[in-house]
Amino acid sequence: MKKTSISLSLLTLLSTMLISACNDESALHNSAQDTVYPYSEGDDIPALAYMEHNEVYNPESVIPPQCYTKTNGQNNPCYACHQSYDKSENRPNQMGDGTLQGNYEFSDVGLTNSWKNLFVDRRELIADISDETILDYIGEDNYTASTANGLPDEMQIKQLSYPDEAFGEHGIANDGSGWVAYNYKPFPSTFWPTNGSTGDAMIRLPAAFQQRQGEYSEDVYLANLTLLEMALKDVNSLAVPPLNEQTIGMDLNGDGALSEAVTHIQRQSHYVGDASSIELSYQLYPQGTELLHTVRYIGVDDEGQIYNAPRMKEVRYMQKSLFRSKESLASAYYAEAKDKAFEKLPQTRYLGEEKGIDNGFGWTLNAYIEDKQGQLRPQHEQELAFCNGCHKTVGSTFDQTFSFARKVPGAKGWGYINLHEIDDVPNINEQEGEFLTYMRRVGGGDEFRQNAEMLARWFNAEGKLNEAKVKQANSVYELITPSPERALALNKAYQTIVKEQSYLFGRDATITEATNVLSEIDAEQPPLLPEHRYHWDMRLDWFAGNESKVADNR
């Protein structure tokens, strides 16, 4: 049954509210027999009202906005998330959702697109916001104040708004917190700066992985981080910053000696140091692993270069609170499939403001987001439910995560994200650059095929991708960053969503109304033709070709 503009349950709930509960003395007064409704059916109810009254706005918020994209039978942005893999690969991720490429397999509720912010033309809303005003706004540090105003300790890194100050050599946080920044290729294409936001990612392993005999050791920590990278990517050797095997107490490069400065290590059965009793698990993180991700505005410097602005839109956090084996995860995937087969709506288990939500696969997720004044506040449980759309049951993920499997390999990947240092290398089992391939398959520079700047920059007048031009780009920075003009417009558009606090209606900072997105799904929508469906692995073939910037990390 499709939703109306206001649910009957909301009217039922609000019907119990008397006029005396309102602070506004000018509110309507009725007789004792009458009831006052703050909203009536057909009203444009603000997102905050749903949260204040604990009324669920979108029971299918785990379906992200991109899933309503029109494919026209041939444009396929879906393959980046929805994949089914051969059983012989023995992956812990057993979602197998490749059939969702171009098939709108939604519940009755999901047939209505609740992400109505996609259908707002924000050009008039941003017309009066000057460039100077938005530059001043995005240049402010709203993170540091949040560390003293409720941001949980586990989500804190000193000077995180300014990465050059926050992280030292090899990406290790200067504050001694154990957080480590890593350079990775952004996932296509929501996380391309040209489509709305910049971002970063950090990882932290438990103390045992950082120590030997109870003492902190950077060599031990970097060795364990690299071993985890091997387990997740399924590779047997990686480059490392010079590590002292005598300090680690183990021969890691397999030459039969304990050397003072090895630059490559081999995959081991167990981690090292005080974590030596813990086995490497194929494509799974160890219990206690933490991931931190900030979503930021698009910075524009005096030379027109794009960078990660100090102001944060969101601070997102994940913790592997419970290790689940491949067999245990299989039962969780089965339960998920069973619920869907019986047409049960997805359930999100809320653990409270300090912990966030449980995704049912061993991870807890939490996040802070801007309030109306631009300060970071805890996300409401309805806002957090959105996170499960990507970090629960998606076929392409590795242990419910994206970025670490896409880390620049080995030594060169330990450090804050730097798009200038990343080539458009292909995915595993593919021949051409990942972003080139994506734009070709999608027919645009974003899922919605409405990024006019990307279309003008990389496509010809007939809508065909200029592949030769794409291949000439010196790095992915040239491919996926916007012009200063577009960056400022995107920042302004998102700021209007902040002022509205309308995150329940969508967080995509679209400037104009989306035209390649369905508001309602019906049987007449053509599925994606078989020849436009693809088998794809999000991991990257960093060593393809001789020109790769990271070839020495083989």
Side-chain angles (χ1 to χ4, degrees), residues 85-94 234 282-284 326-327:
Y85 298 100
D86 193 286
K87 296 291 185 183
S88 65
E89 294 189 42
N90 202 32
R91 294 185 181 223
N93 186 342
Q94 300 176 45
D234 193 20
Y282 178 60
Q283 295 186 350
L284 294 174
K326 178 178 177 290
E327 293 73 22

Side-chain angles (χ1 to χ4, degrees), residues 398-418:
F398 289 77
D399 203 354
Q400 281 64 52
T401 70
F402 293 85
S403 64
F404 196 66
R406 300 171 59 81
K407 173 190 169 291
V408 171
K412 290 190 175 181
W414 298 118
Y416 195 75
I417 187 170
N418 186 341

Side-chain angles (χ1 to χ4, degrees), residues 104-181:
Y104 303 105
E105 299 176 8
F106 297 157
S107 66
D108 287 348
V109 171
L111 293 175
T112 298
N113 185 347
S114 295
W115 305 109
K116 59 184 183 180
N117 273 344
L118 291 173
F119 305 106
V120 176
D121 188 331
R122 297 190 178 271
R123 287 175 294 184
E124 185 175 342
L125 296 175
I126 69 176
D128 294 332
I129 305 175
S130 69
D131 291 349
E132 293 74 17
T133 297
I134 197 65
L135 282 169
D136 288 344
Y137 183 75
I138 68 172
E140 295 173 349
D141 170 12
N142 63 339
Y143 174 81
T144 300
S146 71
T147 62
N149 294 319
L151 188 73
D153 291 345
E154 59 268 21
M155 298 169 67
Q156 297 190 21
I157 302 175
K158 289 183 179 178
Q159 298 296 319
L160 184 54
S161 291
Y162 307 100
D164 288 345
E165 299 178 26
F167 302 102
E169 192 176 14
H170 312 314
I172 298 175
N174 291 324
D175 63 1
S177 62
W179 282 108
V180 184

